[in-house]
Amino acid sequence: MCTPPNTAASNPFSFTHSLSSKSLHLSLLSSPPLPPFHFLNGLLLLGSSQNFSNPPKMVSLLLKSWFQIGEIKIRQSAMVGVVKLVVMLLVFGVVCECQESTDDGSYSSSSSAGVYMVTLKQAPSVFHNYRPNVKKIVHPFGVLDSTSGGANTLENPSFGNVTKRGHHRFGSRIARVHDSLLRRVLKGEKYLKLYSYHYLINGFAVLVTPQQAQKLLGRKEVANVVPDFSVRTATTHTPQFLGLPKGAWLQEGGYEAAGEGVVIGFVDTGIDPTHISFADRLSENSYPVPKRFTGVCEVTRDFPSGSCNRKLVGARHFAASAITRGIFNASQDYASPFDGDGHGTHTASIAAGNHGIPVVVAGHHFGNASGMAPRAHIAVYKALYKSFGGFAADVVAAIDQAAQDGVDVISLSITPNRRPPGIATFFNPIDMALFSAFKSGIFVVQAAGNTGPSPKSVSSFSPWIFTVGAAAHDRKYSNSILLGSNVTITGVGLAPGTDDSYTLVSANDALKDSETPNDEYVNECQDSSSLNQTIVEGNLLICSYSIKFVLGQSTINNAVQTAKNLSAAGIVFTMDPFIIGFQLNPVPMSLPGIIIPSANDSKILLEYYNSSLERDPVSKRIIKSGACACIAGGVEANFSYSAPKIMYYSARGPDPEDNSFQDAEILKPNLVAPGNFIWAAWSSGGTESVEFLGEDFAMMSGTSMAAPHIAGLAALIKQKFPYFSPSAIGSALSTTASQHDKGGGPIMAQRAYANPDLNQSPATPFDMGSGFVNATAALDPGLILDIGYEDYKSFLCGINGSEPVVLNYTGTNCGPTKVNGADLNLPSITIANLNWTRTVQRTVTNIGGNESYSVGWSAPYGVSMKVTPSHFFIANGEKQVLNVLLNSTMNSSVASFGRIGLFGDKSHALNIHLSVIVKTAYNMSSSS
């Protein structure tokens, strides 16, 4: 318990110390130190500077460097493909002087080589319901197919813990067609094929010049040629907050069975296979791998044999596009499925991590963690990397492989770095690959993006993708410091409190007399050698949280270690006034501490501290300090009724149909889920957050954390309803979503980055989609709204000028039926422009037994509406059509929102959200 000190009876310390005359100021900082040159890029530059005239010698040096930097041992049988890659890169000149990558990952030079994704007109395997016996894409380097324990051999973990090595290369017929086409079109020219896609997309990724790309585009067999582009990455309590232990898990037979038999594929930064969240021997119950899943595991030095098991059933990595750019650093990014970032391990454990794993960070126990579907199986397809993010060619290869392997759910916590060009946002290689995944029955979840709160900021576009925004849940970690002046200041910090009041001392006032600081940021407490331990010992050390912490050049961990080295009683961080609006996550600290995120509150503390100092009138040395304080601590969580709440960073709708920001008649995001302050597993090599370096768990925030919540819950639905289509799963999640917070009030949405809790208002469907996920209700929706592949194809064909593009991507022509987005049988209705009147239909299917329903509705402002029938009886398995008549009653371009409610006599309740953007009323004068 922290009580204010009796300042009259306090015993302030006395000392003498020369004050620095330097005033605090910020100057322009240099960029963070660049990572070491990639082995190819750096050595190619080295080779050009030394004028190598012996190509074999150059190749040998390159290979030697690669193996040393990557710490990978490759046997002679695996070297042919690597030599091919290196020689081709030498030929293309992948060096800084030769080609330059723009922010979106494309190449700026019109004559330099770049990666292109080429789609052929012949339909891919999935359109012929064809699955090859061996589930493997053709890898361009040959490394994956080493026959005797090379750097990247393959294991098949499908037979319990007894693994089998892959000994035979699968010669894909379609891959041979691709090779033949390239030889014919580019006869005698230099190129490098990176991937053959043949399951979801019939095509390939190839390194060619723009002129060669034009040659390929001119061939009658070729449907599309698209430049590669870059992508980026966008829990202990959330199972309880979502009601899983007494709800959804109970329906599945408890947590020991929740998700069993369902495989979730993660396209992310990889996984740490040693983490206990992914062990398969925590239960005595049998844990069979689904027979339909045929994935394999790469074997490398950092992902050794036995890394996969009955829980982690597949793991591969995809980096060919990144390697051709010369930015892949094997020592940082790992040429294996191992997670050198932390993001992928975190997301995988949110969805399907084991149940009841103790979360211990910085010596503090924060509860026990569990995934949403703790018995689901995990398959990892690493295509994102710490150093550079990722590229579409690699992501498409990962998605293609996941579909071939037989996953049930794909989780994508990634978004493109730019809005796709062309006639519609839906026509991009990633979304179209996921369209084919939808056809094959895979439920696809994608993060909405962290670009909120601006309208039309969502980065997941297509209706066959389930887009998830981020909301806060009810658990919070708060901290505070009580000053001797009886003023309490709130802050953050996962740290213990002090047992009493202690004297405050600033790092600036604790410099050694003989010491000159190495830099002007000594008050950041990054180096204990320049501070006087006699002054700091037993006191609370005040440090400054400056711009260097934001840039990652200074860390909380270093400052905490400084305080420990000097035997401080605790540490207090004040916010530099030059940092405006920066949002701090709770940071773990192993000694009493607090970060004050408000510059104004920091000023109050520093004014109190400075007012207590007594200085020698001649030397200006401090001889006495009377400021003291106690820290309450922030390890214990508290809970709020104002949850869920849409976070300021969560990307918003409406869904942009194209680069001109025309509104698509598709509701995005689809739903929101917990995404703020989420505890989950962390990789032993994870470097994304330096504050959690070396920890087994980390607390992260973002739509990246929200998406795997839905992936795990989708696995529970798939387990209960194995016959459900992806649309049926999405309908069950959407129509049952909650509209209110824990206190019964409306869900609020933060509207500003700075002071978000002071800038909030009730959330709309463009903030939260259909609402906040209700896991228990989603497992018993009563009715579903289903939609098929052909319906979505008719929607794409309805976009002006899209018929040749649809043919290019699907290999089939558009039919006579064309559908607007509002007429798709989605569990929502979005109308971009209501011109006087319009009727739309929705068809519901009963999957919950015979039931009578009544229908109610609330109309959007400026719209009158009627739904028929208003009552209906529906037997199990039957369908019912709902007719929704809408009339505009005013002219307005401001979006308004309504809702249709379906209420069954067996307690089923569904909501279909209605959004109308532009409204145009019938003008009598203009018609006369």
Side-chain angles (χ1 to χ4, degrees):
M1 183 69 178
C2 188
T3 57
N6 184 338
T7 56
S10 62
N11 181 25
F13 72 105
S14 299
F15 59 91
T16 59
H17 178 64
S18 298
L19 284 176
S20 171
S21 61
K22 293 184 178 180
S23 60
L24 177 64
H25 70 279
L26 287 181
S27 59
L28 291 176
L29 300 173
S30 62
S31 300
L34 293 173
F37 275 134
H38 169 248
F39 65 95
L40 287 175
N41 203 16
L43 282 173
L44 284 167
L45 289 169
L46 174 64
S48 62
S49 65
Q50 294 189 2
N51 193 24
F52 273 112
S53 58
N54 188 343
K57 181 179 179 181
M58 183 63 185
V59 170
S60 175
L61 177 58
L62 284 165
L63 291 173
K64 181 179 179 182
S65 173
W66 186 8
F67 304 150
Q68 289 175 346
I69 295 175
E71 297 182 337
I72 296 172
K73 298 178 180 178
I74 299 183
R75 301 192 179 202
Q76 187 174 3
S77 60
M79 291 183 68
V80 175
V82 181
V83 173
K84 176 184 175 183
L85 170 66
V86 173
V87 171
M88 292 304 299
L89 292 179
L90 282 170
V91 169
F92 277 115
V94 186
V95 294
C96 293
E97 293 86 357
C98 180
Q99 63 184 24
E100 188 173 317
S101 180
T102 62
D103 290 340
D104 63 6
S106 60
Y107 291 95
S108 59
S109 172
S110 61
S111 60
S112 60
V115 177
Y116 291 82
M117 289 172 283
V118 180
T119 308
L120 304 189
K121 292 179 180 178
Q122 181 183 359
S125 301
V126 68
F127 289 88
H128 301 297
N129 297 316
Y130 166 73
R131 285 199 173 200
N133 293 327
V134 180
K135 314 293 185 180
K136 182 169 65 174
I137 68 168
V138 178
H139 196 281
F141 309 149
V143 179
L144 292 183
D145 303 305
S146 173
T147 59
S148 56
N152 295 62
T153 58
L154 302 177
E155 286 188 326
N156 184 337
S158 300
F159 301 93
N161 280 339
V162 180
T163 57
K164 294 175 62 180
R165 293 191 181 276
H167 291 290
H168 304 288
R169 184 181 181 92
F170 172 56
S172 167
R173 181 185 63 84
I174 298 180
R176 291 195 295 270
V177 171
H178 298 164
D179 294 337
S180 175
L181 173 65
L182 285 166
R183 284 194 297 268
R184 293 196 311 271
V185 177
L186 305 178
K187 185 176 182 180
E189 300 181 40
K190 300 173 180 62
Y191 61 89
L192 176 62
K193 190 185 77 170
L194 307 181
Y195 297 108
S196 273
Y197 312 125
H198 55 80
Y199 188 69
L200 297 177
I201 292 178
N202 179 11
F204 51 87
V206 62
L207 178 67
V208 291
T209 65
Q211 293 78 12
Q212 291 173 315
Q214 284 298 319
K215 287 184 179 181
L216 288 167
L217 184 59
R219 294 288 298 193
K220 63 180 181 179
E221 307 98 316
V222 173
N224 212 12
V225 178
V226 180
D228 195 10
F229 56 90
S230 61
V231 297
R232 59 188 171 193
T233 56
T235 60
T236 56
H237 176 66
T238 49
Q240 284 73 26
F241 184 60
L242 295 173
L244 296 181
K246 297 182 180 180
W249 286 350
L250 205 59
Q251 294 186 42
E252 304 288 3
Y255 70 83
E256 287 197 340
E260 188 167 304
V262 180
V263 181
I264 306 175
F266 296 88
V267 179
D268 214 299
T269 65
I271 196 167
D272 183 349
T274 67
H275 202 286
I276 192 172
S277 292
F278 312 121
D280 68 346
R281 294 186 175 275
L282 302 185
S283 171
E284 295 181 357
N285 297 339
S286 63
Y287 197 9
V289 176
K291 292 182 179 179
R292 69 182 181 282
F293 183 76
T294 56
V296 295
C297 284
E298 292 180 21
V299 177
T300 70
R301 182 170 181 173
D302 43 60
F303 209 87
S305 176
S307 294
C308 287
N309 53 37
R310 295 182 182 95
K311 178 72 172 178
L312 177 57
V313 295
R316 304 185 72 151
H317 89 287
F318 303 84
S321 183
I323 289 174
T324 63
R325 289 168 162 77
I327 61 173
F328 186 88
N329 189 322
S331 63
Q332 294 183 16
D333 298 314
Y334 296 97
S336 79
F338 183 79
D339 183 8
D341 179 276
H343 189 273
T345 299
H346 200 270
T347 57
S349 69
I350 291 173
N354 286 325
H355 178 268
I357 308 302
V359 177
V360 178
V361 176
H364 312 305
H365 183 221
F366 292 98
N368 296 328
S370 175
M372 300 298 101
R375 287 287 280 183
H377 306 275
I378 294 170
V380 170
Y381 304 88
K382 178 179 173 182
L384 279 292
Y385 297 84
K386 170 63 178 176
S387 298
F388 53 86
F391 295 94
D394 296 327
V395 171
V396 171
I399 294 169
D400 195 67
Q401 187 65 56
Q404 290 181 69
D405 290 346
V407 303
D408 301 291
V409 178
I410 290 178
S411 181
L412 291 164
S413 287
I414 62 174
T415 57
N417 278 331
R418 60 187 175 105
R419 185 171 288 111
I423 62 172
T425 53
F426 320 119
F427 294 116
N428 68 83
I430 293 178
D431 282 34
M432 295 311 293
L434 295 174
F435 185 35
S436 296
F438 171 89
K439 178 183 173 70
S440 63
I442 299 171
F443 182 73
V444 178
V445 186
Q446 186 176 22
N450 298 332
T451 50
S454 300
K456 301 187 184 182
S457 54
V458 68
S459 298
S460 175
F461 313 104
S462 298
W464 50 87
I465 300 171
F466 201 83
T467 305
V468 186
H473 54 94
D474 63 342
R475 182 192 60 204
K476 293 183 178 180
Y477 292 94
S478 59
N479 202 341
S480 64
I481 183 170
L482 180 59
L483 306 181
S485 58
N486 211 28
V487 173
T488 298
I489 296 174
T490 59
V492 298
L494 301 171
T498 57
D499 55 2
D500 204 347
S501 295
Y502 292 88
T503 299
L504 292 163
V505 57
S506 171
N508 275 336
D509 297 329
L511 284 174
K512 291 180 179 178
D513 290 335
S514 59
E515 194 75 25
T516 300
N518 292 330
D519 61 62
E520 59 189 332
Y521 291 100
V522 66
N523 57 339
E524 293 175 355
C525 305
Q526 298 298 292
D527 181 12
S528 61
S529 64
S530 59
L531 300 179
N532 190 326
Q533 181 169 356
T534 303
I535 298 172
V536 177
E537 186 172 359
N539 299 311
L540 296 178
L541 179 63
I542 301 175
C543 307
S544 174
Y545 194 98
S546 77
I547 189 67
K548 291 183 72 176
F549 284 87
V550 179
L551 297 174
Q553 296 174 339
S554 298
T555 69
I556 298 293
N557 287 344
N558 285 348
V560 167
Q561 190 58 51
T562 293
K564 284 183 175 182
N565 292 344
L566 300 173
S567 302
I571 189 167
V572 179
F573 292 91
T574 59
M575 185 61 63
D576 192 302
F578 289 90
I579 301 177
I580 300 173
F582 180 67
Q583 302 297 320
L584 277 170
N585 284 340
V587 175
M589 290 181 267
S590 56
L591 83 168
I594 186 172
I595 308 171
I596 301 173
S598 165
N600 289 334
D601 289 341
S602 298
K603 182 180 179 181
I604 291 172
L605 183 145
L606 292 174
E607 286 178 347
Y608 164 67
Y609 168 74
N610 288 323
S611 68
S612 74
L613 299 177
E614 294 185 16
R615 303 178 185 273
D616 182 279
V618 178
S619 66
K620 303 300 181 181
R621 295 175 180 176
I622 294 176
I623 58 176
K624 185 178 181 181
S625 174
C628 49
C630 61
I631 299 172
V635 175
E636 297 296 326
N638 52 67
F639 299 89
S640 168
Y641 280 99
S642 60
K645 179 186 298 183
I646 313 305
M647 298 307 299
Y648 63 90
Y649 53 77
S650 186
R652 312 297 166 93
D655 186 14
E657 183 170 303
D658 52 37
N659 274 324
S660 66
F661 284 94
Q662 181 178 343
D663 297 315
E665 294 189 320
I666 305 296
L667 180 61
K668 293 292 178 178
N670 294 85
L671 202 68
V672 292
N676 206 53
F677 298 161
I678 305 299
W679 283 117
W682 197 243
S683 173
S684 57
T687 57
E688 181 182 354
S689 175
V690 294
E691 311 305 347
F692 291 98
L693 197 63
E695 300 285 358
D696 291 329
F697 288 85
M699 177 184 285
M700 305 294 289
S701 296
T703 57
S704 282
M705 284 65 248
H709 278 87
I710 299 302
L713 297 177
L716 299 182
I717 298 173
K718 187 70 174 179
Q719 180 186 17
K720 183 175 180 179
F721 301 102
Y723 58 88
F724 264 19
S725 69
S727 293
I729 296 174
S731 172
L733 289 163
S734 297
T735 58
T736 59
S738 175
Q739 313 301 308
H740 301 94
D741 65 17
K742 282 181 60 178
I747 295 175
M748 303 297 285
Q750 296 176 338
R751 302 291 180 193
Y753 178 84
N755 300 314
D757 282 333
L758 301 179
N759 295 277
Q760 59 184 22
S761 60
T764 74
F766 292 158
D767 302 314
M768 65 176 182
S770 293
F772 184 82
V773 63
N774 183 333
T776 302
L779 283 170
D780 185 22
L783 303 173
I784 59 168
L785 292 90
D786 208 356
I787 188 169
Y789 172 84
E790 290 298 329
D791 299 311
Y792 281 136
K793 182 183 169 187
S794 296
F795 158 70
L796 293 175
C797 290
I799 298 171
N800 188 33
S802 68
E803 292 193 15
V805 185
V806 174
L807 174 63
N808 289 347
Y809 274 113
T810 67
T812 56
N813 289 300
C814 289
T817 304
K818 296 178 181 179
V819 178
N820 293 319
D823 294 319
L824 289 170
N825 198 43
L826 297 170
S828 60
I829 299 172
T830 304
I831 296 179
N833 193 334
L834 178 59
N835 190 1
W836 184 27
T837 186
R838 184 169 179 177
T839 298
V840 296
Q841 293 183 335
R842 289 295 182 266
T843 302
V844 296
T845 303
N846 187 357
I847 53 95
N850 298 348
E851 194 164 2
S852 294
Y853 282 86
S854 60
V855 182
W857 59 86
S858 61
Y861 181 71
V863 177
S864 65
M865 65 179 291
K866 183 178 180 179
V867 182
T868 56
S870 58
H871 297 84
F872 61 89
F873 170 81
I874 185 169
N876 185 36
E878 289 189 349
K879 300 179 184 295
Q880 174 67 51
V881 176
L882 300 175
N883 296 287
V884 183
L885 174 64
L886 303 165
N887 290 295
S888 179
T889 61
M890 63 184 298
N891 296 319
S892 174
S893 59
V894 178
S896 55
F897 309 94
R899 190 170 33 152
I900 301 170
L902 307 175
F903 308 98
D905 61 4
K906 293 183 179 178
S907 300
H908 291 117
L910 296 84
N911 287 295
I912 299 174
H913 282 269
L914 175 62
S915 307
V916 181
I917 303 174
V918 176
K919 295 165 282 289
T920 304
Y922 182 61
N923 191 329
M924 294 294 293
S925 62
S926 64
S927 63
S928 57

